[in-house]
Amino acid sequence: MEELIPIIKKALEQVDVVLGWAQSPAAGVAVPAFFHTPAEADAAVFDSTCAHNLAVYLPRLADKKVGIVAKGCDARSIAQLIAEGAVKRSGVFVIGASCPGMIDVKKAWRCFGFGKQVCDAAGKVAMEGKTVAREEILLWKCRGCRDPEPVICDVTVGEASSEAPAPPAEPAGIRKRFAAMTVAERRQFWQDQFSRCIRCYACREACPLCVCRDVCTIQAHEPGWAGAAVDSPQSWMAQLIRVNHLAGRCTGCEECERACPVGIPLMLLLEEQNDVVEELFGYRAGGEAKPPFLTFDIKNDTWDEER
Amino acid sequence: MRFIPEENITALLLRLSENATVWAPQVVRDTVNTVLFAPWREGAEIETGLYSALPVKGLVLPATERLFSFRYHRAGEREKIEIEVDELRERAAVFAARACDAKALVTLDALFLDGSGRSYNDQHYRARRGALTVITLACTSCDSACFCSSFEDGAAATAGSDLIFYPVSGGFLAEAVSATGRELAALDLFQESNLEKPPLAETAKVELARLGQRLLDKFDDIDFWRRTAEGCLSCGYCSYACPACHCFNIFDEMESDRAGGRYRCWDACMFYAYTLESSGHNPRPEAAHRYRNRLAHKFSYFPLNRGEFLCTGCGRCIRGCPAGRDVRDVIKALGAG
């Protein structure tokens, strides 16, 4: 996507920094990059390994004017942050990128080895000669994508894909198994899953809507809603608090699950909750509509993110 | 050298299981090849190709450890506290550790078991470390996140291991490093062999010359650190995945009105709360300050104080970083030695 570079350079005339991606030599895929100068922008790339949701950086940069390259789903997070007052619309310049659907890079690495160059063309993903069908390695959210076009955007880059997104997959593997579980089995399932949690809070830090961050209640000792001991019930409780604080706010970007180093399927919790919110309130976070239940004061536009 | 045929590995692990929990790298069920060290049971498949998300340090410094239980009770007029130290009763053996993980145990030993009085001799660490047998599987291949060859011995490091296995045709050459290792290698499951050790992995290297000083020279250049840390999400994964990071916090948890436990839990210097003072002041308020501290501790302060790096080049912080940060880029950006 070569036209991206001049667009970023042009954006830099009116913003302090543009959030995008650059190729990592070690990882063989795109990683988040901050472009401050036109010269730096020459490194910008956009391909199907740009899974990160860069909206996560916006509240931290609330004192700056920021350009951001955003996929359709990322734009929903930006819209939600604006709706909640964590980010000012006038403070962001959104470069909407037409998204081909993102590859689950961790999945690829774990199958083929870290750092292998990803080649994504003609419906196939190849890494060092090995090839897999594209839909097998797409992120779950990209299958049956509901938001290929950014809901909020100042300039677009790339042709909107003429191909329809991969159809929603039939729940397979863990989703299928989970759906069929009884309540008691689910309890056991989550106990097993959270026994691996190390409380590194990568889920929270990677979440664009977890804006409390440094003063997050699940890391606080007073009040101690979740105990300090890192064991399954405490970690589960901590995660449920995080999940519930995202009710009506989660845009389903899957970043928490992508960030989790021990592979806890966090989206099972959030997808369930998002479905319930949509069913009860007819509301999907990240759209034009006003959030139906805000658990904070929307009139307070000074988010005190500790910096 | 001693040799163990591949088909004897299960028997060896069963032998170890008789008086210890055997921990081996295994793919976690329901995940896309997330590998963790987990208790091994007969029939379980051991994954030695992929890298585990966490090192073996948890076996000596667990993510959570109950140090002791306490109970208040009234003795006549006075309130007394009864304390019961939690004793470790179980032995552990780790199979297929990597040399970089095992080597870091020696770094931790110096901190937690120092007899010189310079640091604390920790009874809980001592109990776990004394009850741990480490069988290392030497790496004959590596990935692009590995950089152990930057450090002394690289993939050939033997420190921290009791026994080292080198993959060869039909099984493993076994090199005993400690008395425990020699005892194991003397078992009838092993035989004599005159096979040669295989060539070990040569990884990418970082320039470590004068790195400590290069870091100190940059210390006050906060803009450099802001640029360096700007993609960092400030989560704790790199610290928790690091075989040498060892920071912890201590908490008391009440479990009833009158009784509770004291816990030691991992902590990470990337967290805002790590240096948050009770006054509300925080000397490391930005991710930039914390990132600077994490690197400088590993590559400057610790080497200056103790003569070794607080890093073995395992690459976990690179492989698993949710924001794709690479510590080697920062070392490079600090300029040549």
Side-chain angles (χ1 to χ4, degrees), chain B residues 12 16 40 69 97 111 114 139 142-143 160 168 174 176 184 186 204 208 212 272 320 336:
Chain B
L12 173 69
L16 288 164
W40 174 88
S69 308
L111 286 163
D114 186 23
C139 295
C142 61
D143 71 18
V168 287
L184 283 170
L208 296 173
Y272 177 83

Side-chain angles (χ1 to χ4, degrees), chain A residues 199 201 204 212-227 237-238 241-242 245:
Chain A
R199 302 277 280 274
Y201 305 113
R204 174 188 80 199
C212 308
R213 276 189 199 109
D214 294 339
V215 289
C216 173
T217 188
I218 64 174
Q219 209 176 358
H221 303 303
E222 286 291 337
W225 292 115
M237 180 67 182
I241 293 172
R242 192 188 83 87
H245 282 179

